[in-house]
Structure formats: structure tokens, C-alpha cells
Amino acid sequence: MDKIVIRGGIPLNGEVTISGAKNAILALMCASLLTRDEMIFHGVPTLNDIRTTKQLLLQLGVCLDDFAAGTLRVKAAEISDHTAPYELVKTMRASVMVLGPLLAREGKADVSLPGGCAIGARPIDQHLKGLEAMGARIDLEGGYVKARAERLQGTDFTFDLKTVTGAENLIMAASLAKGTTVLRNCAVEPEIAELAHVINRMGGCIDGTGTETIVIEGKDRLHGVVHEVMPDRIEAGTYLMAGAVTRGDVRVRHCRPAHLSALLEKLDDAGLRVDVGEDEVRVATNGRVKSNDVETAPYPGFATDFQAQYMALMALADGQSMVTETVFENRFMHVSELVRMGADIRVSGRTARVRGVQQLSGAHVQATDLRASACLVLAGLAAQGTTEVHRVYHLDRGYDRLEDKLAALGADIRREKDDIL
Ligand code: EPZ
């Protein structure tokens, strides 16, 4: 295993270019199952979750080629296996997104139930209810979802709650169903719109993108396309907060500022200088950050994937802030590690009370999930002394060359073999 060693207290300054969006490409790789034609994706980051998805697609019989760096070719001419096995789904729950396309194209799919993860139970009941509404027979057997359907039928389905991959799974399934499907109370994250846009370019017919009501007219077949993956809004926001927490001045290039509105509003309220360009954002310090309450919510609200990083920022802010996590039931595991670095945080239910301190002290800390890891890196960048972040395989799931990009901004950061864990 690796660890990341940071000597903190150095303000970050400069520019960083954002990579392709993890949560977009994972869905798009699953959407490649909807056609026998070749799909080519540019701007694909090097992430462990993408590697896992490649393994899964290869297991299904899909052909894959990594062209030049950042370009991925996927051709699902034949599907020779219809099983998403436990060992892969357990590693990455987004694997459940093969369920909809496999069922729509092949009429069968056996997908391991993902089970819970560090941040919560994360059931997939909405995915299954929607597929049943489309005529699928769903049996749960031996920890697997066994789904069968002669041909999925269009339906009018209302989600009980906002679910990102739930919406993506059903959009993909409906794209090859017979008839028209209306999905109501849909999540509206930009990655869902990206998926719908690509399916439309594949010959699909999806209306209502970006709204809570999506109408999908099913097609008999879809064709391949070439697509440049959208920038990763969570990566962009993470680097902006890295600049803010170190009292530096960071510009992120190749991003979509509109996808960051809720975060940028919070950073502005916290007294930071926020400059927005066409495809770039700059956040610079204006002295000590002011405390500012936040409550996570589905898009366009404040993203749950920013909550941990934002807490690192509030840990050094002037005053008290309340950080409320409404999306996942257990997404405060970074708190105990921040407290070990000297933060003053107390959790009560879904809300953490954060009292800003003058400084954090470097320490050995342990990552528990992807965004908690990012939070600990940000805290280490701001802390006095040296921080060692252990179990950074969590980070490698969602950040492409994080230490290189931070070093280019002036951080004293390196990756080492971990002799403790
Ligand atoms: C997606 O996860 C993202 N992952 C997550 O990013 C992100 O945190 C999350 O959306 C929320 O924005 C990918 O896109 C691959 P949900 P997803 O279904 O789709 C409950 C990261 O850091 N729920 O929107 O799995 C669920 O338990 C990752 O990049 C049900 O109850 O999240 C949660 O409380 C972490 N039943 C809430 O809804 C269901 O059938 C939102 O979950 C589905 C979800």
C-alpha cells in the first residue's frame, strides 16, 4: 500500500487542469453495452474505478483498447457473460450500472448486490423497482440480483428519492425498451445529462435532460460515437478548496463553472475571492476564511462529495459552522482524523459543529473513503508539520495524479510505500 507524505503550511499558487469526470465516464462505459458498435472516449482519467470497470466489461466479453493516454475504445460486439461478480461490485458499487444496459440488450443480467460501503447502506431498491416497472422479473438469490426480461417495456415511473446511478441505470434500460418511458423525480446531476446527451448522439431519443422529468423513447438499436468526457466538477472543487485552505491562489482550468455554483457561492460567502471565467475558476484568499454553515443536497444543491473537503476548510475558519450531511447516513468518518490534527468538531446525528482553530498539526491519519481522503490531504496541506495519509488507495479511485497536481501548485507532497499499513 502507499501513503502520501505532506509537509504543510505552504500556500498553493498556480493553475491546475481538470481531468475527465469519474462519475461520467463510469456511466458512459456501461452505456457502451447498449450498442454493438465501437465507442471511443477521449479525456479519460487514470483512476482505479475506471480500471475496475474495464475489468468488469472484459469479463462480459467486451473488447477494450487504451489508445493514446486518455483515449479508451470500447466495443461490445458480443456479450459472452451476463454476470457482474461480487468481487468487482464490492470493490466498486457503480458496477450495478451494467444491470440496465445488459437487461435491455440481452434480456438477462446477474449482478451482485453491492452491499453497504463506508459511507452508508446505499441500497439499490430504486434501480430494481424501476426495472420491474419496465417489466423485468427480479429475483434476489445468493446475494445476487437475477434480472430477466423478454423485452423491457416503456413505463411511467416515479423515483421515491433522488438517485444518480438509479436514474442512469433506468435511462440506459429505457433507451432500448419498447415504447416510451417517463422517469419522474429524477436526480439532475450533470453526469446524468452527459449520459443522456451521449445516448442521444448514439441515436437515442431522450428529452427533459437537466429536469426532474425525463422522457425516453426506446429504440431497437443504437450506434457508436466518439465523445470527449466532461470535466470532473468534484476534482475542480477539491483543488479550489486546496488553494483556499492553504490561503493561496489557485486557478482550475478545463472546468464548467456552472456545475460548481453551490460551492462557489459558499466560498464567496466565506470571504474568498472567486473569479469565474468561461471554462476556468480562480479562488484566492482574502485573509482568514469566515465560518459558513452548509447542508448537502442533490444537485444543484451543495454536493455531498464536497462536504468532507469543505469541513477541512471550516476547521481553520474564523468562527463556528454547522455542516449537515443529508444524502448519506455515515459520511463523517473524516471527523475523527481531523480532530487528531487539532480540529474542534463535534458530531450530533447528521450535523457536525465545527469551531475554527488557529492551526492544525500534522499527524498520521487514515483514509476511509474517497472524499474523506481528499479532506485529509487538504488538512495536511494546511497543517503545521508533517502529515502522513495512509490507505491512499481510496484517493486513487477518484483523483488522477493528485500529488503531481498539488506539487505543481507548490505543495511539499510525495507518495511513498507504506510500512505501517
Ligand atoms: C453517485 O452515487 C455518485 N457515484 C457518488 O459519488 C455521489 O456521492 C452520489 O451519487 C450522490 O451525489 C457515481 O456516480 C458513480 P445515489 P450513487 O444513488 O448513485 C439512497 C464519489 O465520491 N438510495 O444518488 O450510488 C442512497 O443510499 C461517489 O465520487 C436508496 O435509498 O448515490 C443515498 O442515501 C461517492 N435507494 C441517496 O439515495 C436506491 O435505490 C443518494 O444515493 C438508490 C439510492
Side-chain angles (χ1 to χ4, degrees):
M1 275 191 218
D2 291 347
K3 64 183 176 182
I4 282 185
V5 180
I6 302 164
R7 188 173 63 79
I10 302 169
L12 299 188
N13 287 285
E15 296 183 353
V16 59
T17 299
I18 299 306
S19 301
K22 167 179 84 84
N23 290 348
I25 188 63
L26 295 183
L28 292 170
M29 289 170 78
C30 296
S32 302
L33 295 168
L34 294 169
T35 178
R36 286 169 170 70
D37 296 350
E38 178 178 79
M39 301 280 282
I40 293 184
F41 299 108
H42 296 301
V44 178
T46 304
L47 302 174
N48 286 354
D49 275 5
I50 291 173
R51 185 177 305 123
T52 303
T53 307
K54 288 179 186 173
Q55 285 176 318
L56 174 57
L57 292 179
L58 287 169
Q59 161 114 7
L60 300 177
V62 174
C63 296
L64 288 170
D65 292 303
D66 284 309
F67 278 105
T71 295
L72 173 65
R73 170 187 174 273
V74 185
K75 188 173 169 87
E78 298 300 331
I79 302 289
S80 55
D81 191 311
H82 301 83
T83 302
Y86 173 76
E87 59 273 16
L88 284 178
V89 178
K90 187 66 188 153
T91 312
M92 187 196 67
R93 55 182 303 99
S95 309
V96 296
M97 283 196 285
V98 299
L99 185 55
L102 275 181
L103 197 52
R105 169 177 165 168
E106 299 283 305
K108 65 183 284 191
D110 294 338
V111 175
S112 170
L113 278 164
C117 77
I119 62 178
R122 302 182 72 183
I124 59 168
D125 57 293
Q126 299 295 304
H127 303 232
L128 303 183
K129 272 177 77 174
L131 292 172
E132 283 178 323
M134 297 171 75
R137 197 176 61 255
I138 304 279
D139 296 308
L140 302 183
E141 203 178 296
Y144 277 73
V145 173
K146 293 189 177 292
R148 299 293 183 271
E150 289 309 309
R151 176 153 189 206
L152 294 174
Q153 305 294 318
T155 187
D156 191 321
F157 176 76
T158 302
F159 286 98
D160 297 327
L161 48 84
K162 295 281 194 300
T163 160
V164 176
T165 50
E168 290 168 336
N169 230 339
L170 296 191
I171 287 171
M172 289 189 278
S175 300
L176 287 181
K178 183 171 175 50
T180 299
T181 296
V182 180
L183 299 177
R184 302 179 195 277
N185 193 29
C186 270
V188 292
E189 270 69 1
E191 293 76 21
I192 301 170
E194 171 100 342
L195 173 67
H197 169 66
V198 170
I199 292 175
N200 278 342
R201 291 188 56 225
M202 293 168 71
C205 181
I206 301 173
D207 288 318
T209 298
T211 75
E212 297 185 359
T213 302
I214 305 280
V215 181
I216 305 114
E217 183 192 326
K219 298 293 181 184
D220 292 334
R221 68 177 299 279
L222 297 171
H223 58 74
V225 294
V226 179
H227 179 72
E228 172 94 22
V229 182
M230 65 184 267
D232 193 315
R233 60 191 169 98
I234 307 300
E235 185 195 20
T238 302
Y239 285 107
L240 290 172
M241 286 189 271
V245 77
T246 58
R247 300 191 182 184
D249 181 344
V250 168
R251 181 194 306 270
V252 298
R253 290 194 181 285
H254 182 241
C255 74
R256 292 193 192 158
H259 293 168
L260 294 164
S261 301
L263 173 66
L264 298 182
E265 191 179 318
K266 282 295 169 188
L267 297 180
D268 181 60
D269 292 347
L272 289 147
R273 212 185 84 213
V274 179
D275 297 322
V276 176
E278 191 181 329
D279 67 346
E280 60 182 43
V281 177
R282 176 183 174 190
V283 168
T285 186
N286 255 342
R288 194 170 183 204
V289 169
K290 290 183 290 195
S291 292
N292 194 20
D293 295 352
V294 73
E295 181 166 313
T296 66
Y299 193 87
F302 188 92
T304 174
D305 295 346
F306 284 142
Q307 180 258 107
Q309 302 92 308
Y310 185 80
M311 192 181 288
L313 185 61
M314 291 297 105
L316 285 166
D318 183 13
Q320 173 176 300
S321 53
M322 307 302 275
V323 177
T324 302
E325 172 57 59
T326 69
V327 176
F328 290 110
E329 65 268 29
N330 188 36
R331 206 169 194 178
F332 281 146
M333 283 164 298
H334 42 286
V335 169
S336 53
E337 298 303 283
L338 287 174
V339 168
R340 293 181 59 249
M341 297 177 73
D344 179 354
I345 305 171
R346 185 181 297 277
V347 173
S348 171
R350 292 221 172 183
T351 296
R353 185 206 66 203
V354 185
R355 285 185 176 142
V357 295
Q358 286 297 329
Q359 78 170 37
L360 296 175
S361 304
H364 285 276
V365 290
Q366 186 167 301
T368 50
D369 62 272
L370 171 55
R371 306 305 173 182
S373 325
C375 158
L376 298 176
V377 169
L378 265 55
L381 291 168
Q384 295 304 313
T386 300
T387 296
E388 296 198 7
V389 182
H390 300 280
R391 299 195 176 184
V392 290
Y393 58 83
H394 289 293
L395 264 180
D396 297 335
R397 295 189 53 177
Y399 290 95
D400 188 358
R401 293 170 294 115
L402 176 104
E403 64 273 17
D404 297 345
K405 292 183 176 182
L406 288 171
L409 292 170
D412 180 341
I413 183 170
R414 63 187 185 278
R415 179 183 289 257
E416 293 181 357
K417 282 294 165 223
D418 198 342
D419 47 13
I420 293 185
L421 290 168

